[in-house]
């Protein structure tokens, strides 16, 4: 049997290379933090959770500790519940997102009203959101697509004019700023995801951040069965010292200490993750901006994003071929996203194609190139070469 040997040159190496579109960056300190939590007295509901909740609120620039939960999906479910989403209410949101932005509100009984996106950023268009909002709207939910913050100033006005709350699904944008303000301090309530491909990870995990103490309390109760342990808030405080009561239905969405410890360790490197992602962004721009057949991502001048995706747009009739060629070259490209209402579950509720033409056009032309903090300069150059070849430059 021949020995596995190191590739002799780049062309040979590129044949075997597989570059994922996103992945975690784990170092020794992360491993040590997890081991320390694992060998401590608390595997869950312990001090590492408190520490992580403080670290998230610090990164998000808010005073009230974050409510850590088990996923970004759980964060959305918790935030919508806390914001009063229930049967008879409506949630206005973008179709250019992962389905959880809409499906968690649908599970709470709300009607989802999709509003179209801005053609430059892919973010919820405030004018379209205003046209979609009504007195039934409980939440206007923007999504920071690819890490670029939504137009928070205008979306807050749209929401508040309708008597609704403004929620920011910031699964892509932990570490991003708008007008110098960190994502987390822009909306009434903000949700994060710590899935491995996101800007920082806890394996699975999420968080709800808000500056509203009452909303935070409702979120905190929901992630722990709706249990009330504070005697001052109990209906029957004299039941006995063991007593705790449920005043509102909730779930077990508690993030364990083992994962929270990983999260705190990751957040201490958020700045270096951002620098690395943004260096990848610039290298792609420098390597691809002369091509005619491809539109590169852009952001408004008042945004300072931590780029989570690198979404390019190519001609509709070329997208599938380019995507397949890149995949064949070992480039882990993705498409973000199929418009949410195209999913059969929404089709069956009566939603039809054509509803949001800008989002549909975006979907038909989009390809996400690999973007994460572990990409080497070599990896990025390899992707650039493969894209240039596929585009025919
Ligand atoms: C990843 C993601 C979610 C869901 O987060 P999970 O942690 O995977 O549950 C929600 N919204 C958006 C925009 C996402 O990218």
């Amino acid at each position: 049997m021949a020995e596995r040997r190191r590739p002799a040159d780049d062309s040979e190496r590129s044949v075997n290379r597989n570059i994922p579109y996103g992945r975690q960056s784990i170092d020794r300190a992360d491993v040590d933090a997890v081991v320390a939590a694992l060998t401590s007295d608390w595997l869950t509901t312990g001090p590492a959770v408190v520490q992580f909740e403080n670290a998230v609120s610090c990164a998000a620039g808010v005073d009230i500790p974050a409510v850590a939960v088990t996923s970004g999906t759980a964060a959305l479910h918790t935030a919508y519940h806390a914001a009063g989403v229930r049967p008879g209410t409506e949630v206005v949101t973008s179709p250019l997102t992962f389905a959880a932005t809409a499906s968690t509100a649908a599970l709470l009984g709300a009607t989802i009203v999709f509003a179209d996106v801005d053609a430059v950023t892919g973010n919820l268009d405030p004018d379209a959101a205003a046209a979609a909002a009504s007195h039934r709207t409980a939440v206007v939910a923007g999504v920071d697509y690819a890490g670029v913050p939504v137009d928070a100033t205008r979306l807050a006005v749209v929401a508040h004019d309708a008597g609704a709350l403004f929620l920011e699904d910031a699964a892509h944008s932990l570490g991003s700023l708008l007008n110098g303000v960190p994502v987390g301090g822009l909306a009434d309530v903000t949700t994060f995801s710590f899935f491995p491909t996101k800007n920082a990870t806890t394996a699975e995990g999420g968080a709800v951040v808000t500056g509203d103490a009452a909303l935070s309390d409702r979120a905190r109760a929901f992630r722990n069965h709706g249990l009330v342990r504070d005697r001052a808030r109990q209906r029957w405080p004299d039941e006995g010292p063991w007593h705790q009561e449920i005043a509102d239905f909730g779930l077990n969405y508690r993030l364990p200490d083992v994962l929270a410890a990983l999260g705190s360790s990751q957040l201490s490197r958020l700045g270096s993750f951002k620098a690395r992602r943004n260096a990848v962004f610039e290298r792609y721009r420098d390597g691809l901006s002369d091509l005619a057949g491809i539109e590169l991502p852009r952001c408004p001048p008042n945004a300072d994003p931590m780029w989570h995706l690198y979404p390019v747009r190519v001609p509709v009739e070329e997208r599938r071929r380019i995507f397949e060629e890149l995949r064949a070259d070992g480039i882990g490209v993705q498409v973000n996203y199929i418009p949410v209402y195209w999913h059969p579950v929404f089709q069956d509720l009566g939603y039809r194609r054509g509803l949001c033409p800008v989002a549909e056009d975006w979907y038909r032309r989009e390809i996400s190139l690999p973007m994460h903090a572990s990409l080497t300069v070599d990896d990025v150059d390899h992707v650039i070469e493969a894209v240039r070849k596929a585009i025919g430059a």
Side-chain angles (χ1 to χ4, degrees):
M1 275 283 298
E3 284 274 295
R4 254 175 178 275
R5 60 187 176 83
R6 292 191 62 80
D9 62 35
D10 269 330
S11 61
E12 186 178 351
R13 171 135 134 232
S14 68
V15 173
N16 303 315
R17 200 182 304 196
N18 239 307
I19 302 176
Y21 90 99
R23 68 160 286 148
Q24 67 277 15
S25 299
I26 299 294
D27 74 0
R28 196 67 234 170
D30 293 331
V31 174
D32 291 346
V34 170
V35 171
L38 198 53
T39 50
S40 76
D41 290 339
W42 301 88
L43 294 185
T44 190
T45 70
V49 176
V50 176
Q51 199 191 341
F52 178 59
E53 292 182 331
N54 287 325
V56 172
S57 60
C58 184
V62 292
D63 295 331
I64 300 176
V67 177
V69 293
T70 50
S71 69
T73 303
L76 284 161
H77 196 198
T78 300
Y80 282 135
H81 174 83
V85 173
R86 56 195 87 248
T89 68
E90 294 181 355
V91 169
V92 173
T93 194
S94 162
L96 194 67
T97 181
F98 183 61
T101 315
S103 58
T104 47
L107 275 171
L108 288 165
T111 298
I112 311 303
V113 183
F114 292 101
D116 214 342
V117 300
D118 175 86
V120 174
T121 60
N123 282 340
L124 184 60
D125 175 353
D127 291 328
S134 78
H135 65 278
R136 289 179 300 276
T137 308
V139 170
V140 174
V143 180
D144 298 337
Y145 181 87
V148 176
V150 288
D151 186 342
T153 312
R154 291 190 58 208
L155 286 176
V157 172
V158 169
H160 298 161
D161 281 354
L165 292 182
F166 166 38
L167 179 149
E168 195 167 354
D169 179 346
H172 295 185
S173 59
L174 178 67
S176 298
L177 312 173
L178 185 71
N179 298 317
V181 178
V183 165
L186 299 167
D188 297 314
V189 56
T190 303
T191 60
F192 294 111
S193 165
F194 299 103
F195 189 71
T197 55
K198 305 296 164 82
N199 293 355
T201 190
T202 59
E204 297 280 3
V208 178
V209 158
T210 177
D212 176 332
L215 202 151
S216 177
D217 287 347
R218 289 195 296 276
R220 199 165 281 281
F222 186 72
R223 72 108 187 252
N224 191 29
H225 307 286
L227 280 169
V228 180
R229 293 201 174 112
D230 177 1
R231 290 190 64 191
R233 294 190 194 184
Q234 289 179 344
R235 189 167 302 175
W236 296 295
D238 297 328
E239 181 67 23
W242 58 84
H243 184 59
Q244 46 184 351
E245 57 189 37
I246 291 173
D248 189 16
F249 290 121
L251 291 160
N252 175 358
Y253 276 161
R254 297 186 306 260
L255 187 73
D257 283 54
V258 179
L259 301 185
L262 173 58
S264 295
S265 178
Q266 287 265 304
L267 288 182
S268 73
R269 297 205 303 290
L270 196 64
S272 72
F273 290 161
K274 181 172 182 175
R276 186 66 209 127
R277 284 176 175 272
N278 291 0
V280 172
F281 180 91
E282 281 168 23
R283 200 164 183 91
Y284 277 143
R285 188 194 53 205
D286 294 348
L288 298 171
S289 58
D290 63 307
L291 296 184
I294 185 169
E295 206 174 319
L296 306 184
R298 285 176 289 157
C299 79
N302 61 341
D304 172 9
M306 175 151 168
W307 286 98
H308 168 66
L309 301 173
Y310 194 85
V312 303
R313 283 174 288 168
V314 297
V316 176
E317 60 282 2
E318 295 285 315
R319 195 268 297 270
R320 189 185 183 115
R321 178 189 62 77
I322 294 170
F323 184 95
E324 287 175 346
E325 284 187 27
L326 292 171
R327 275 284 177 91
D329 272 349
I331 317 277
V333 283
Q334 294 285 332
V335 168
N336 301 96
Y337 292 93
I338 186 167
V340 171
Y341 57 82
W342 283 24
H343 284 287
V345 66
F346 283 101
Q347 293 277 296
D348 292 349
L349 287 169
Y351 295 82
R352 291 290 171 260
R353 293 185 183 213
L355 187 60
C356 297
V358 183
E360 293 187 9
D361 175 70
W362 191 292
Y363 162 70
R364 287 194 178 96
R365 297 198 288 127
E366 200 270 345
I367 297 176
S368 297
L369 303 184
M371 170 57 89
H372 54 86
S374 301
L375 287 171
T376 65
V377 167
D378 235 30
D379 290 334
V380 178
D381 288 348
H382 175 67
V383 176
I384 289 168
E385 276 321 302
V387 171
R388 296 189 73 90
K389 189 177 71 167
I391 298 270

